[in-house]
Amino acid sequence: MTEVKEQVALITIFGGTGDLANRKLYPSLYHLFTKGFLKENFAVIGTARRPWTNDFFREKVVESLKGIEKEGFDPQDFASHFYYQSHDVTNQESYVQLKNLSDELDKKYELQGNRLFYLAMAPNFFGTIASRLKSEGFVDNDGFSRLIIEKPFGRDLASAQELNESLRQAFAENEIYRIDHYLGKEMIQNISVIRFANSIIESLWNNRYIDNVQVTLSETLGVEDRGRYYEESGALRDMVQNHILQIVSLLAMEPPIKLTTQEIRHEKVRALRSLRVIEGEDVYKYFVRGQYGPGTVDGEQLEGYRQAENVDPDSNTETFVAAKLMIDNFRWSGVPFYIRTGKRLAKKTTQIAIQFKSVPMNLFGGQQSLAGNVLVIHIQPDEGITLHMNVKEPGQGMLTMPINLNYAHSSPDGMNTPEAYEKLIQDCLNGDATYFSHWDEVSLSWNFVDKVANVWSNTKEHFPNYASGTMGPKEADKLVAQDGFEWFE
């Protein structure tokens, strides 16, 4: 987790003409360029099926940087390090040409044989690409060879295992970087600091003082143009299997003996192994699923999920998941971790709320019950921390009132904090895999999610069961209410 300044590498992006590359990857690389992490000794190859030229590709790269140009760092100069090759991932000759270009750029920019391959394309090509990179000698260099892959990493445990085996034929586990952009968000990475750098927090971080933990990832947008993908995944696979379980593992893990990639991953895996697996009829006790229907938001009539393009008119796919997770270990025994995520909800937010137990006796009994103490970690759209406490109300008497202690997180110059992709790409170049998913984490989370998905796939739900612009089905409120709690808003 140490900061390394300049990096020397050839970065090859499969899917170089795609939306992810244009919106996230090229701007992130430009930020690294302006900050000195990339200087003169780097090159980028973009590959895709389109018959682009180097010049046209560079124009597209420059276009992707509009609005973020920084004085003293000419986008044209940055783009001059970019090269394009029309590429068929199933054709051996394409790899021969790509290898020749890679070797040429390695010599031109003195890249020391360092190779980073970013697979920004459909997962069904991952195995084919990895196999070709091995057979055509791309990874036979004196420098490092690292592979970044985007989710979804499989559709279930079996497909994830098959995909992992195909990748491991060409890359070792410590060379595979499974990217989850949520792990690059500033306040997600702040979880470890909030816990382990503050004795007042860590000493209370257990079942003696915490009533429940809530993780909310809500979106106001619908499925938009991702209907075909969403029909195959649903909210359970799209959000819970990766983003939410990764957050839960960071919250529930034991303190590592030191802040190294290996030790942090070890504790995250231990936390996921302690996660109670829910299966059979118990799924309906611990999980709630929903699908949004039509609704009116700010005077605009919104269509339901089943009316979206490429969606089955009788779809059984969930767009909302709420659940009660239990961590069966000494620290967390009896503390529910409530999670919820969904589309077309009332507000867009990602936050973690840690609700502490009430005081043993309310000494101020002449008034209503005391407000609870809650530590809220705001991840997006706002970044920061809020601690909810009680103080004396001004004036005579001993009436109490709730107050909020707020910390708004921002960079020193007042600009937005670094983009998640920027930090994760930098980590990969540095060889720091702390905030990437290890195979053990992936397999444990799929094993957990598969049990739920199997029950749901064999049961037809009465959808839609929540209107667009609400916070999900009423059953989600009942899930926490039956334990005497309510969702923290």
Side-chain angles (χ1 to χ4, degrees), residues 33 39-45 58 76-83 105 109:
F33 179 69
K39 293 184 178 177
E40 292 305 313
N41 300 102
F42 83 97
V44 179
I45 300 176
R58 289 166 183 168
Q76 297 286 351
D77 182 33
F78 168 73
S80 69
H81 290 257
F82 283 66
Y83 298 79
L105 295 178
Y109 291 96

Side-chain angles (χ1 to χ4, degrees), residues 433-466:
T434 303
Y435 291 103
F436 292 83
S437 302
H438 188 275
W439 166 245
D440 289 345
E441 299 170 47
V442 174
S443 61
L444 286 167
S445 59
W446 271 127
N447 180 63
F448 177 82
V449 162
D450 278 356
K451 302 293 193 299
V452 180
N454 290 340
V455 172
W456 282 354
S457 65
N458 293 318
T459 309
K460 188 69 174 177
E461 192 67 71
H462 296 292
F463 286 152
N465 60 356
Y466 71 96

Side-chain angles (χ1 to χ4, degrees), residues 379-396:
I379 299 166
Q380 67 177 27
D382 300 318
E383 293 182 327
I385 308 166
T386 302
L387 178 60
H388 296 253
M389 298 179 62
N390 295 298
V391 298
K392 179 182 176 298
E393 194 174 273
Q396 293 182 326

Side-chain angles (χ1 to χ4, degrees), residues 38-58:
L38 297 175
K39 293 184 178 177
E40 292 305 313
N41 300 102
F42 83 97
V44 179
I45 300 176
T47 75
R49 297 185 67 93
R50 297 178 183 179
W52 287 3
T53 63
N54 285 341
D55 289 340
F56 185 76
F57 179 48
R58 289 166 183 168

Side-chain angles (χ1 to χ4, degrees), residues 369-385:
S369 59
L370 295 172
N373 296 141
V374 186
L375 176 65
V376 183
I377 302 173
H378 307 279
I379 299 166
Q380 67 177 27
D382 300 318
E383 293 182 327
I385 308 166

Side-chain angles (χ1 to χ4, degrees), residues 31 35 186 381 383 409-419 422:
H31 284 309
K35 295 175 181 178
E186 190 70 18
E383 293 182 327
H409 187 86
S410 62
S411 56
D413 59 4
M415 300 295 288
N416 289 332
T417 52
E419 171 66 44
E422 174 192 335

Side-chain angles (χ1 to χ4, degrees), residues 63-299:
E63 286 179 14
S64 73
L65 308 179
K66 285 185 177 178
I68 64 170
E69 301 93 335
K70 189 173 182 180
E71 185 177 353
F73 296 93
D74 185 1
Q76 297 286 351
D77 182 33
F78 168 73
S80 69
H81 290 257
F82 283 66
Y83 298 79
Y84 184 80
Q85 181 187 295
S86 182
H87 185 80
D88 180 353
V89 296
T90 63
N91 183 276
Q92 182 182 8
E93 182 58 32
S94 288
Y95 290 93
V96 173
Q97 296 172 9
L98 183 60
K99 177 67 162 57
N100 291 337
L101 177 58
S102 300
D103 292 341
E104 177 186 328
L105 295 178
D106 192 279
K107 293 178 181 178
K108 179 177 180 179
Y109 291 96
E110 300 178 353
L111 303 178
Q112 305 170 19
N114 293 330
R115 304 281 172 88
L116 170 59
F117 306 96
Y118 199 122
L119 307 191
M121 56 191 312
N124 52 304
F125 293 115
F126 288 179
T128 300
I129 295 172
S131 176
R132 289 296 188 183
L133 291 177
K134 175 69 173 179
S135 64
E136 301 305 321
F138 284 83
V139 296
D140 300 330
N141 296 301
D142 294 333
F144 63 72
S145 295
R146 295 172 187 150
L147 180 74
I148 297 182
I149 55 175
E150 286 278 343
K151 77 172 185 109
F153 193 77
R155 190 180 181 276
D156 50 27
L157 180 57
S159 60
Q161 288 173 328
E162 182 180 352
L163 176 56
N164 192 60
E165 289 170 4
S166 66
L167 296 179
R168 290 294 299 273
Q169 293 176 11
F171 295 88
E173 174 60 33
N174 63 2
E175 296 174 322
I176 301 173
Y177 289 69
R178 302 172 189 86
I179 196 167
D180 182 341
H181 70 274
Y182 266 75
L183 296 184
K185 293 184 181 296
E186 190 70 18
M187 292 310 298
I188 293 293
Q189 297 189 0
N190 235 316
I191 291 172
S192 297
V193 180
I194 293 169
R195 283 190 59 183
F196 306 133
N198 298 286
S199 61
I200 192 173
I201 298 296
E202 179 56 24
S203 61
L204 303 178
W205 207 262
N206 54 63
N207 55 10
R208 286 175 292 172
Y209 301 102
I210 293 179
D211 244 352
N212 68 87
V213 178
Q214 298 182 16
V215 179
T216 297
L217 282 70
S218 62
E219 300 179 72
T220 55
L221 292 176
V223 71
E224 309 306 313
D225 59 354
R226 300 174 69 219
R228 182 175 285 107
Y229 163 76
Y230 217 79
E231 278 290 89
E232 291 294 320
S233 64
L236 183 68
R237 293 183 174 94
D238 186 49
M239 298 295 288
V240 176
Q241 183 271 330
N242 40 72
H243 304 323
I244 289 183
L245 289 184
Q246 283 290 324
I247 293 173
V248 169
S249 69
L250 286 170
L251 293 169
M253 63 183 271
E254 293 295 316
I257 58 175
K258 51 187 174 182
L259 289 178
T260 63
T261 298
Q262 183 178 358
E263 295 302 331
I264 291 175
R265 281 179 161 182
H266 175 69
E267 297 302 340
K268 288 173 65 183
V269 168
R270 286 183 63 198
L272 290 173
R273 283 179 177 153
S274 300
L275 182 63
R276 184 184 301 174
V277 176
I278 309 299
E279 52 190 325
E281 289 300 313
D282 283 345
V283 168
Y284 297 103
K285 298 177 184 177
Y286 288 86
F287 278 81
V288 171
R289 58 174 167 164
Q291 184 190 96
Y292 68 85
T296 302
V297 177
D298 296 330

